[in-house]
Amino acid sequence: MTTPPALLIAGHGTRDDAGAEAFRAFVRELGRRRPDLPVAGGFIELSPPPLGEAVAELVRRGVRRFAAVPLMLVSAGHAKGDIPAALAREKERHPGLTYTYGRPLGPHPSLLRVLERRLAEAVDPSWDPAEVTVLLVGRGSTDPDANAEVFKAARLLWEGRGYAGVETAFVSLAAPDVPSGLDRCARLGARRIVVLPYFLFTGILPDRVRTQTEEWAAAHPDTEVRSADVIGPEPELLDLVLERYEEAVRGDLRMNCDSCVYRIALPGFEDKVGLPQQPHFHPDDDGHHHHGHGHAHSHSHAH
């Protein structure tokens, strides 16, 4: 029987120890779920282990083929550029290694169900959804396509669930920020607002969302504001990662080319079209920096 390709999970990275450990525990749980697969995971930046170390671990275990799945909700710079560049670098480091690259998680219906649960946990059971406005808060990016994906998630969350509305904000790099998003909800007449972080695990940025929400609520005592929890390592998330793995192994990939800033000239971002992607060096990397210096790995985002 042919051995299936290994599974490599690529994460953002965080300065928050609990968030980094949540990722590592999630990778271990994936390995328990699929004992037939070698599974490893690493980060692009900020926290160990770096992605290169995870690949080296798979190679030490005899792996020659793997499928990489970005553990990310939206296709921003990490998923479009940093991870493909890092994987190209690992291919140079380990001759004979082959891989396929999966797509980010996206606003999959199963994750929308988890978000709905998080909202239900945050609200008073007596509240009518028609009186609740949700503020979905994404990470934020300099990539307009990535920010647009958060708006898509907000619309899909609103559809058919009966909330007064689902507004969108970002915690970094993009407007509107959390206080501005809450101001918008209030101007629209919201008296009950639930702030819902569009994040997989705990970390510095979700903590910042909660802090900014509490500060805004203290300044607006006439508006009832609740904070919901992050998605977390739910069964739906484990299932979705394995679904993305199977897609990558089969070659059944449907990337978001239509509004990719590296392929399409979007207003104000024309200089990014066709831009070669540079490897993203992890501060905790393993001393092989010389492999990447001077090499711009151009790629096509696995389209």
Side-chain angles (χ1 to χ4, degrees):
M1 191 176 90
T2 305
T3 306
L7 170 57
L8 176 70
I9 305 296
H12 273 286
T14 174
R15 291 184 181 89
D16 181 79
D17 290 340
E21 180 52 35
F23 171 92
R24 292 188 288 261
F26 183 81
V27 171
R28 290 193 295 269
E29 181 58 29
L30 279 168
R32 283 191 287 270
R33 274 202 170 207
R34 286 293 299 269
D36 58 315
L37 291 182
V39 178
F43 296 104
I44 288 296
E45 60 185 359
L46 300 175
S47 43
L51 197 61
E53 190 176 297
V55 173
E57 176 195 329
L58 290 175
V59 170
R60 283 193 299 271
R61 292 163 67 181
V63 167
R64 309 307 294 155
R65 298 184 304 142
F66 67 87
V69 175
L71 196 67
M72 297 167 189
L73 289 166
V74 302
S75 189
H78 280 314
K80 288 180 177 179
D82 297 334
I83 296 171
L87 293 176
R89 183 182 62 193
E90 295 309 312
K91 199 169 187 296
E92 289 182 4
R93 287 181 180 174
H94 305 283
L97 193 64
T98 61
Y99 62 87
T100 54
Y101 183 38
R103 58 183 174 138
L105 305 174
H108 193 277
S110 62
L111 294 189
L112 294 172
R113 287 195 296 273
V114 178
L115 291 173
E116 192 173 9
R117 280 209 302 276
R118 295 292 176 256
L119 289 172
E121 293 160 2
V123 303
D124 188 301
S126 66
W127 290 5
D128 181 350
E131 298 175 352
V132 174
T133 299
V134 178
L135 182 64
L136 184 72
V137 181
R139 176 179 294 267
S141 172
T142 56
D143 183 339
D145 178 41
N147 296 330
E149 286 191 47
V150 182
F151 277 81
K152 179 177 180 178
R155 177 69 195 192
L156 289 170
L157 185 63
W158 180 82
E159 290 279 357
R161 290 179 174 85
Y163 296 111
V166 181
E167 296 297 315
T168 307
F170 301 95
V171 73
S172 65
L173 298 175
D177 60 15
V178 175
S180 299
L182 286 163
D183 287 343
R184 175 176 169 80
C185 292
R187 286 198 300 273
L188 289 169
R191 312 309 308 160
R192 290 173 170 163
I193 303 171
V194 180
V195 177
L196 177 62
Y198 194 45
F199 287 82
L200 293 174
F201 302 127
T202 56
I204 287 173
L205 293 181
D207 288 348
R208 188 180 301 165
V209 174
R210 189 175 285 266
T211 299
Q212 292 177 352
T213 298
E214 290 168 355
E215 290 169 352
W216 189 93
H220 298 79
D222 292 340
T223 305
E224 196 159 5
V225 184
R226 301 278 181 92
S227 287
D229 286 333
V230 296
I231 290 170
E234 294 293 288
E236 289 94 339
L237 181 58
L238 289 155
D239 290 342
L240 178 54
V241 169
L242 292 172
E243 184 178 320
R244 291 285 182 259
Y245 164 81
E246 296 291 349
E247 285 177 356
V249 169
R250 293 194 309 266
D252 177 25
L253 297 177
R254 297 175 294 276
M255 297 297 281
N256 57 328
C257 302
D258 294 342
S259 52
C260 175
V261 75
Y262 299 107
R263 284 178 165 256
I264 308 297
L266 299 180
F269 298 87
E270 292 86 355
D271 60 324
K272 288 185 179 287
V273 175
L275 201 64
Q277 299 302 295
Q278 301 286 351
H280 189 111
F281 291 108
H282 191 287
D284 297 321
D285 209 347
D286 52 4
H288 291 281
H289 288 212
H290 62 278
H291 281 279
H293 283 187
H295 297 286
H297 295 302
S298 184
H299 65 89
S300 60
H301 318 306
H303 291 304

